[in-house]
Amino acid sequence: MRRQLRTVFSTVTGSVAAVLLLLLVLLAIFGPIIWSGKANAIDVAKAWQPPSGEHWFGTDELGRDMFARSLVATRLSLLSAVAASGIAIVVGVPVGLLAAMFGPRLTSAFQSVVNVSIAFPALLTAMFVGTVIGIGVPGAILGVGIAMAPMFARLTQTLTASVISLDYVAAARTMGVPLRRLVGRHVLANVAEPLVITATTSVGTSLLGISALSFLGLGARPPQYDWGGLLSTGLKAIYTSPMAAIGPGTLIALSGIVFSLLGEVIAGAFGDNQSNRRFGRVARAMAAAARRLSAKPASPSDALLDVANLRVGFPSENGELPAVRGVSLRVAAGERVGIVGESGSGKSVSVMAIAQLVEHPAVVTADRLRFLGTELSTMAPAARRRFLGTNLAMVFQNPMSSLNPAMRIGTQLAEVAQVHSGLSASDARTRAADRLAEVGIADAGHRLRQYPHEFSGGMRQRAMIAMGLMETPRLIIADEPTTALDVTVQRQILDLLLAINRDAGAAILLISHDISVIANVCERVVVMYAGVVVEDLPVASLLRAAAHPYTRALIASVPDMTTDRDADLATIPGRPPALDDLPTGCPFASRCAFATDECVAQMPPLAPMADGHLAACWHPQGGAL
Amino acid sequence: MSGGLVVRGLTVRYGGRTVVDGVDLDVVDGRVLGLVGESGSGKSTIARAVLGLAPVHAGAITVGGQEVRRLSARERARRVQMVFQDPFGSLNPRMSVGGIIREGLEALGDLPARERAAEVTRLLELVSLSPDLAQRLPRRLSGGQRQRVAIARALAARPGVLIADEITSALDVSVQAQVLNVLRGILAAERFSMLFISHNLAVVRYISDDIAVMRDGVIVETGPVDEVLAAPRHPYTRELLDAIPQLHPTA
Amino acid sequence: MTTSTAEVGKRPASAGRRVRPTEGRKTPGWVRGLAWKLLRLVISIWAVLTLTFLMIQFIPGDPVRLALGPDAPASLVEERRQQLGLDQPLIVQYFDYWGRMLTGDFGDSLLTQQPVSLLVEARIGNTATIVALSLVATSVVAILGGLLVGIATHRGRRPTLRTGFTLATGIAAALPDFLVAVGLVFLFAVTFTIFPVAGAAGADSFVLPTLAITLGSAATMMRVVRSSTAVVLDQDYLLVARAKRLPATRVYLRHGLPNLLTAALTLGGLQLGTVVTGTIVVENVFAIPGLGTALVQALITRDYPVVQTIMVLLAGTVLILNLLIDVALGALDPRSKRQRS
């Protein structure tokens, strides 16, 4: 908490907002004490005077000094605003908490009521309350407070509901933690931040709301006056003495902005928690290491896909984070290649870069990026779009979010053929129905008219694959296509990919964290670790001849249906290096049982082990697994 | 405190939907029952019902012969504990690792305050974590470390039954092996029984003594792991077995 | 830890969910959705009418005495009480109120003795013009502006534009409509004299009032549209649309826009309610004879029949506007059950 506060005040906006807030508070405390006499001194002879050295904001209809009155009004304006926010919080927060803590039925009834009252304009609510309890400062405060209460109620309810559904609250309940502690330590502690932020900005909102009421003559009435009331007085003299309106107006605007700034600054300080400060040093060290990685010598390009020395970097505050550091990869026509790696290995980023789908601000470079004999990086965008649209298909991890929820399945399939083959809408639909049937979706004609939410997860992934088959792709890139699916559905999708490879001859580049999935589908496996390829070998020799200790550990650590149940699983100690903390040598050295000084000092190149087998290791291992 | 978990005729309904339909389960004292099934099969709902986190429509749940729903929260906590799936959601981000584990000890009140620090250290060592981690906040821990903290927290209550709900499915494979090894080590060292829930048949096979296969709210097959997997009787069990991608050729 | 956290976190959430196909449903979703929304509108209007009715009952003391002042003769007070029906039992008054409101008989003003409906007729034109112009201006400016800036600044592109946008809309959104109105009066009364600053003499007299309402509400809504644009642009299905190599126009307009409008209307729609009430403030600043000026006048003079009527009319407009937004959302989102939140 203390560190967060320090962050608040270290920022420029933070200090500006804090200084202004302090000024306002001081004015509210001392303003009336110092300037009350001057503010109330009536001198009818000097009514409606323009600004002068004596009266900076001019005078009102009774000749009172508008500047002094503006300063004195600070106290009433601020106090009313704070009081209104207080009422909103006191009413709204408990209601929201209760609604969230008691059953789904109460919650949904609560939501209907609150949704209507939130959409209902606060000014009308405030006027209504003001009418009932009488026009004046209390009426305005209560009116604005009640008008804002639904906002707090809903915020509290949503926040609480989301925290309550988290496992740590369930865990605390199973530990027998008492309710009072559960609410305080686990729920309130974790919803407090956004509530504090909203409470801060709400003071500004209250201030503007009450000022509006007073401005209309529905808030502070003589002899009381706040900034809103003064503004309406000033408006009467706008032609002769504009400062009388501009003065209080500026104070209102300024205070409104101070509180919303404070809210944003506090939000920024809370959000800053996750920020990482170590990036720069690392990024530099790592860039140097990456430069030492040697690119493979150029080879004749008979491959379908030929990538050499692919690099992808993500700019961060202190330099570029290298997610991919010199990946070289070849896929022959009709070949099935798998890329395996754990999260953060760079496998997904690599294929996204190959598919030209990496977006700003990431930076992609490669010595060679050829697909079907054409260098992609130098192609004109329009030509590249058409070229990849007809020859490359992609399937992504999450079929739930990969289809557009607002479009019919048929439209999403048909548009591919319409755009790339120039088919008419009806021809494209016919083709879409054919493709859906091909991927095993029954009643394709009917299915075309449905929306994605009417499809199950497995069917959506089939539809995604059908979409890729709308043209005749030479390569299908499938990025964790079954990770979100059940085992039995996974089997069906993998079989479908195999069938397409067999029947249509499309090559497949399959990305997975699960080496057994790849072993079941692919002919060749590429193992990635910390942004580099550590091994590239035929699936057939995986169990027989895997040479890199990481590949071997990966295989040994996954239990399968033949694993010895009486022995411990092989484990890899430690964890992969962070992108901002990559070592100069082999990235696996710190976790490797065979590592020597050489490994720590120098990155091993990807070197041939046997025919069609490459490994990047100074101490390749042998023997069956 | 020991004693197995016995579930009889458990039915759980949400709204009008029956999620768990008349399930019988026996987690035998000192043994591990693996509960396997696909998403939506109702396996996690069983765990939540045992812990009082899901509404029980009908049936009996006993631990060591006692109906858990008649136990006080504290008594229930002493008998059953759970480790959750998501290592990032199951630890309060505002509490230190030590605080998280200590909270369980405090809630139970079995240990005098001065012995709690030593117990926290013991529990962290039990899950192969350095006691130095006690001061850290969860966000400074890796997924595998967090999951081991969650195991330590559950073991703080010295429960008779531990429920592990998909505890490795959010972890990378190399980390999964660490957690499984730790779990096996504890099972050998401490005496408790475990309900191990997973969609991954190979992991269930590795860690469990008995297995129950679940589909659409119903247990379709149950028995000792070796028997069920060697000679599955229910077609769904066979379908599951066939669907698993194999790395090693099966003998 | 940065990238691995995100990737690991994604997996269990998606793996744990199974979407059930919802075939064979008898009533189409949108029909049920619309019926539900209409029911909600009816309930809301009932609530507004009941509350405005009860308003007079809630007032501590005798509302007629409060309205006419301490000097009014007791006989006059009694006469007006009867005229308002305040001598009747509460339940009779309630049904009487309903009957009158539904037939457009809003009663007579306590002060002028004129039928309130005459007042409404005379003034509703100006108010409707300001509200309609402001609604259109706010929606068009906010959606177009937010969308364009959202696309232009997506994923850290054009940081200067992003900063300028945040700053400008932040200031504009923080300025309340009455301040903007006063500022405009000052500018156009003193410095430029292009537009009239008071009265409703011609078409050009609506320019400044509309501007005063639109500036702040459009800025607020534009921020919402920009941030929802950023969210929609990050969705997987837009990546897929690019992976299908569709032209950029099709990616943004066909795949992005409908989802974006849903998101923008869901959040930004709330802003439109304040556009309606903005007219109350703005009419008073620019001295436009409309419902807003009449409402404020009636509130100050405690002319309750006038207050009730105008509140019901404005509240009804807001509620119907919300219904229209809901219907538009239902049309844009085939799932038709997305709650506004």
Side-chain angles (χ1 to χ4, degrees):
Chain A
M1 191 65 196
R2 203 171 301 149
R3 196 184 63 76
Q4 287 161 353
L5 278 180
R6 238 181 296 133
T7 331
V8 171
F9 293 107
S10 67
T11 63
V12 180
T13 359
S15 9
V16 170
V19 167
L20 287 176
L21 179 70
L22 184 70
L23 267 177
L24 281 177
V25 171
L26 288 178
L27 256 184
I29 296 171
F30 299 109
I33 302 173
I34 302 172
W35 288 289
S36 259
K38 198 175 178 195
N40 295 324
I42 296 177
D43 184 353
V44 186
K46 288 187 170 177
W48 297 127
Q49 294 225 330
S52 63
E54 194 189 347
H55 305 291
W56 288 4
F57 289 177
T59 59
D60 68 3
E61 75 270 29
L62 295 177
R64 294 175 293 200
D65 181 63
M66 282 296 279
F67 181 64
R69 289 176 75 76
S70 298
L71 296 183
V72 172
T74 310
R75 182 187 284 181
L76 184 62
S77 303
L78 279 192
L79 277 184
S80 320
V82 171
S85 288
I87 290 170
I89 292 166
V90 166
V91 174
V93 172
V95 170
L97 261 182
L98 286 178
M101 309 274 280
F102 292 99
R105 217 161 284 172
L106 184 64
T107 302
S108 92
F110 164 84
Q111 277 174 339
S112 314
V113 173
V114 166
N115 281 351
V116 171
S117 39
I118 280 194
F120 201 76
L123 186 59
L124 274 188
T125 313
M127 282 180 166
F128 179 85
V129 175
T131 315
V132 174
I133 77 161
I135 289 169
V137 173
I141 291 175
L142 193 65
V144 170
I146 287 178
M148 288 200 312
M151 181 188 70
F152 277 99
R154 188 170 68 179
L155 184 67
T156 311
Q157 186 259 329
T158 353
L159 289 172
T160 311
S162 66
V163 169
I164 280 184
S165 67
L166 289 176
D167 284 342
Y168 63 78
V169 176
R173 280 171 69 187
T174 66
M175 296 299 304
V177 172
L179 183 68
R180 198 161 40 83
R181 186 181 165 88
L182 196 68
V183 171
R185 191 89 175 109
H186 293 278
V187 178
L188 279 182
N190 284 293
V191 304
E193 285 180 10
L195 276 181
V196 167
I197 293 163
T198 312
T200 311
T201 43
S202 84
V203 176
T205 319
S206 304
L207 189 117
L208 299 183
I210 293 174
S211 300
L213 286 175
S214 294
F215 173 74
L216 292 173
L218 305 173
R221 322 190 73 186
Q224 281 185 310
Y225 54 95
D226 63 2
W227 288 335
L230 292 177
L231 179 66
S232 105
T233 307
L235 182 61
K236 291 176 194 150
I238 192 105
Y239 291 95
T240 53
S241 164
M243 270 317 282
I246 293 172
T250 311
L251 283 169
I252 295 172
L254 207 62
S255 323
I257 291 172
V258 165
F259 286 103
S260 74
L261 265 187
L262 267 183
E264 279 182 26
V265 169
I266 294 175
F270 283 139
D272 208 31
N273 278 348
Q274 326 283 28
S275 90
N276 210 325
R277 282 147 205 285
R278 312 176 284 142
F279 275 20
R281 183 178 49 81
V282 211
R284 275 188 299 278
M286 194 212 45
R291 248 172 277 134
R292 281 190 289 278
L293 294 170
S294 56
K296 285 206 301 181
S299 49
S301 239
D302 56 344
L304 178 72
L305 178 70
D306 182 7
V307 180
N309 196 23
L310 176 73
R311 296 164 183 278
V312 185
F314 290 92
S316 75
E317 284 168 32
N318 304 310
E320 203 171 90
L321 295 180
V324 178
R325 306 181 288 152
V327 162
S328 298
L329 180 73
R330 291 165 58 107
V331 179
E335 195 186 13
R336 302 185 304 274
V337 177
I339 303 183
V340 71
E342 297 180 88
S343 42
S345 62
K347 56 188 191 303
S348 283
V349 180
S350 298
V351 292
M352 293 294 281
I354 291 170
Q356 306 289 311
L357 288 172
V358 167
E359 273 195 281
H360 180 92
V363 183
V364 179
T365 59
D367 292 352
R368 192 166 60 245
L369 218 174
R370 296 170 80 85
F371 178 50
L372 283 168
T374 311
E375 176 62 41
L376 292 181
S377 51
T378 52
M379 262 177 121
R384 184 167 65 195
R385 198 164 54 70
R386 163 159 293 247
F387 177 66
L388 291 178
T390 47
N391 293 308
L392 174 69
M394 302 216 41
V395 182
F396 295 96
Q397 170 173 349
N398 195 342
M400 304 300 167
S401 57
S402 291
L403 290 164
N404 189 333
M407 277 168 83
R408 292 177 202 277
I409 298 283
T411 317
Q412 299 190 48
L413 262 68
E415 66 178 355
V416 177
Q418 285 172 270
V419 167
H420 295 302
S421 299
L423 254 54
S424 71
S426 66
D427 288 350
R429 286 186 71 80
T430 314
R431 188 188 283 186
D434 289 349
R435 297 297 184 267
L436 272 192
E438 272 171 39
V439 298
I441 292 180
D443 196 8
H446 170 65
R447 288 295 187 179
L448 282 182
R449 287 189 295 277
Q450 290 189 317
Y451 285 98
H453 72 271
E454 298 172 274
F455 275 42
S456 70
M459 282 212 299
R460 288 191 205 189
Q461 202 60 304
R462 286 171 188 273
M464 276 300 296
I465 294 173
M467 199 149 77
L469 297 178
M470 287 300 288
E471 297 295 318
T472 43
R474 304 319 306 149
L475 175 66
I476 298 175
I477 295 181
D479 185 1
E480 302 266 12
T482 60
T483 305
L485 303 174
D486 279 327
V487 207
T488 48
V489 184
Q490 161 170 289
R491 163 58 59 196
Q492 296 162 10
I493 297 294
L494 295 180
D495 288 348
L496 178 61
L497 285 174
L498 278 169
I500 291 167
N501 169 257
R502 189 185 58 228
D503 302 341
I508 288 176
L509 185 56
L510 176 69
I511 289 82
S512 179
H513 67 284
D514 187 343
I515 199 167
S516 37
V517 163
I518 285 176
N520 269 245
V521 173
C522 300
E523 300 154 287
R524 195 152 60 80
V525 56
V526 174
V527 183
M528 282 191 69
Y529 186 81
V532 294
V533 172
V534 294
E535 189 155 16
D536 179 342
L537 77 170
V539 164
S541 36
L542 194 55
L543 292 176
R544 201 163 33 79
H548 198 286
Y550 176 67
T551 312
R552 297 173 69 87
L554 206 55
I555 295 168
S557 65
V558 189
D560 78 354
M561 300 309 283
T562 60
T563 306
D564 179 3
R565 295 170 54 202
D566 296 321
D568 268 354
L569 293 167
T571 60
I572 310 174
R575 49 166 139 166
L579 284 187
D580 58 3
D581 200 12
L582 290 166
T584 41
C586 172
F588 190 61
S590 63
R591 307 174 77 188
C592 183
F594 311 100
T596 58
D597 290 347
E598 188 183 17
C599 303
V600 177
Q602 219 184 349
M603 175 75 200
L606 200 56
M609 295 284 124
D611 196 22
H613 183 176
L614 302 163
C617 184
W618 294 123
H619 309 290
Q621 303 297 304
L625 274 156
Chain B
M1 196 168 310
S2 65
L5 168 71
V6 179
V7 173
R8 284 291 171 267
L10 177 68
T11 301
V12 179
R13 285 187 188 157
Y14 282 113
R17 226 156 46 92
T18 304
V19 185
V20 175
D21 193 1
V23 159
D24 295 344
L25 274 184
D26 288 281
V27 185
V28 180
D29 198 8
R31 284 173 75 87
V32 177
L33 172 69
L35 180 57
V36 71
E38 296 184 303
S39 55
S41 61
K43 51 192 195 306
S44 291
T45 309
I46 294 181
R48 295 193 157 251
V50 172
L51 289 155
L53 301 172
V56 174
H57 180 75
I61 303 167
T62 60
V63 176
Q66 299 249 23
E67 169 59 55
V68 291
R69 279 178 291 156
R70 279 199 284 277
L71 296 173
S72 69
R74 189 180 289 188
E75 279 304 307
R76 195 207 303 247
R78 283 211 182 86
R79 288 183 163 76
V80 205
Q81 278 301 322
M82 173 147 157
V83 181
F84 294 82
Q85 169 175 357
D86 178 9
F88 297 93
S90 67
L91 305 179
N92 188 337
R94 313 204 134 262
M95 288 170 78
S96 70
V97 166
I100 288 168
I101 298 173
R102 200 177 307 112
E103 185 179 57
L105 298 171
E106 283 164 10
L108 294 169
D110 294 339
L111 275 184
R114 62 199 146 73
E115 286 173 32
R116 284 179 196 148
E119 178 67 3
V120 169
T121 304
R122 186 189 76 84
L123 287 163
L124 282 174
E125 282 168 352
L126 189 64
V127 294
S128 308
L129 287 177
S130 157
D132 301 342
L133 294 184
Q135 309 303 321
R136 295 229 186 136
L137 286 176
R139 69 162 180 271
R140 309 243 340 253
L141 266 47
S142 70
Q145 287 175 322
R146 288 177 196 220
Q147 214 52 322
R148 283 184 271 164
V149 171
I151 294 173
R153 167 178 60 190
L155 294 177
R158 298 184 182 256
V161 177
L162 182 68
I163 301 180
D165 185 10
E166 297 275 13
I167 59 168
T168 62
S169 56
L171 304 176
D172 269 325
V173 284
S174 65
V175 181
Q176 161 174 289
Q178 292 169 7
V179 172
L180 290 178
N181 284 346
V182 161
L183 206 53
R184 271 170 51 101
I186 302 167
L187 279 166
E190 314 248 314
R191 185 175 160 74
F192 61 90
S193 37
M194 181 160 79
L195 177 61
F196 187 88
I197 301 173
S198 177
H199 68 283
N200 187 330
L201 201 49
V203 170
V204 167
R205 174 190 165 276
Y206 177 71
I207 203 101
S208 311
D209 304 306
D210 305 307
I211 188 170
V213 182
M214 192 166 183
R215 182 189 205 182
D216 292 341
V218 180
I219 305 282
V220 298
E221 183 161 5
T222 182
V225 165
D226 297 326
E227 289 176 26
V228 171
L229 297 185
R233 274 168 307 189
H234 195 279
Y236 179 64
T237 314
R238 279 197 290 276
E239 193 190 336
L240 269 185
L241 276 169
D242 291 344
I244 301 172
Q246 283 291 321
L247 193 54
H248 294 84
T250 30
Chain C
M1 218 35 230
T2 43
T3 52
S4 61
T5 309
E7 275 186 47
V8 171
K10 244 186 297 175
R11 220 172 293 143
S14 48
R17 207 177 308 132
R18 170 195 271 189
V19 171
R20 293 168 189 284
T22 49
E23 289 175 82
R25 185 196 285 163
K26 281 175 196 102
T27 358
W30 67 270
V31 174
R32 286 193 310 171
L34 187 63
W36 172 240
K37 282 161 199 154
L38 278 174
L39 178 71
R40 211 165 70 180
L41 176 72
V42 170
I43 294 176
S44 308
I45 286 181
W46 167 80
V48 165
L49 278 173
T50 305
L51 282 173
T52 46
F53 165 75
L54 289 175
M55 181 168 76
I56 294 192
Q57 319 290 331
F58 283 150
I59 294 166
D62 180 353
V64 178
R65 171 59 72 188
L66 281 171
L68 299 181
D71 303 330
S75 59
L76 180 67
V77 171
E78 194 47 41
E79 190 191 315
R80 294 291 157 81
R81 281 184 62 83
Q82 280 178 14
Q83 187 188 325
L84 281 175
L86 289 175
D87 49 346
Q88 306 273 330
L90 197 62
I91 190 78
V92 176
Q93 288 184 46
Y94 185 53
F95 284 110
D96 185 47
Y97 179 73
W98 267 96
R100 289 195 294 108
M101 280 294 174
L102 291 181
T103 53
D105 170 13
F106 304 129
D108 297 337
S109 159
L110 277 181
L111 299 179
T112 63
Q113 292 296 295
Q114 296 282 320
V116 179
S117 48
L118 281 184
L119 175 86
V120 170
E121 246 169 67
R123 294 186 163 215
I124 200 165
N126 287 338
T127 301
T129 310
I130 295 174
V131 168
L133 284 175
S134 307
L135 283 177
V136 172
T138 300
S139 315
V140 170
V141 170
I143 291 176
L144 277 183
L147 184 69
L148 291 177
V149 176
I151 293 174
T153 61
H154 183 226
R155 296 226 175 137
R157 292 182 178 91
R158 299 183 184 81
T160 328
L161 175 62
R162 166 81 197 265
T163 312
F165 176 85
T166 312
L167 204 69
T169 53
I171 291 172
L175 290 176
D177 40 19
F178 64 92
L179 271 189
V180 175
V182 170
L184 288 174
V185 168
F186 169 67
L187 269 183
F188 286 88
V190 180
T191 318
F192 319 101
T193 44
I194 315 165
F195 297 112
V197 293
D204 54 354
S205 54
F206 293 109
V207 172
L208 294 185
T210 304
L211 190 58
I213 296 178
T214 306
L215 188 71
S217 52
T220 309
M221 195 167 157
M222 207 189 289
R223 303 188 104 184
V224 175
V225 175
R226 195 205 66 84
S227 63
S228 34
T229 305
V231 170
V232 169
L233 290 182
D234 278 334
Q235 296 297 308
D236 284 351
Y237 56 78
L238 275 199
L239 171 65
V240 171
R242 290 199 302 123
K244 285 153 87 176
R245 317 292 162 180
L246 302 175
T249 45
R250 192 171 175 91
V251 171
Y252 288 126
L253 296 181
R254 188 70 184 83
H255 287 262
L257 193 61
N259 293 294
L260 189 94
L261 284 180
T262 315
L265 273 182
T266 304
L267 292 166
L270 297 176
Q271 191 61 36
L272 296 182
T274 63
V275 171
V276 174
T277 49
T279 192
I280 302 176
V281 171
V282 167
E283 283 173 25
N284 278 281
V285 176
F286 293 100
I288 291 170
L291 295 181
T293 34
L295 174 62
V296 170
Q297 207 49 48
L299 277 165
I300 290 170
T301 57
R302 300 173 193 274
D303 194 346
Y304 297 114
V306 177
V307 171
Q308 280 176 325
T309 306
I310 298 179
M311 276 197 173
V312 167
L313 287 174
L314 290 179
T317 309
V318 172
L319 291 174
I320 289 171
L321 196 63
N322 284 326
L323 175 81
L324 292 178
I325 291 172
D326 270 348
V327 171
L329 278 176
L332 282 169
D333 182 355
R335 279 163 293 186
S336 281
K337 53 187 177 189
R338 201 179 272 179
Q339 287 282 319
R340 293 181 66 199
S341 56

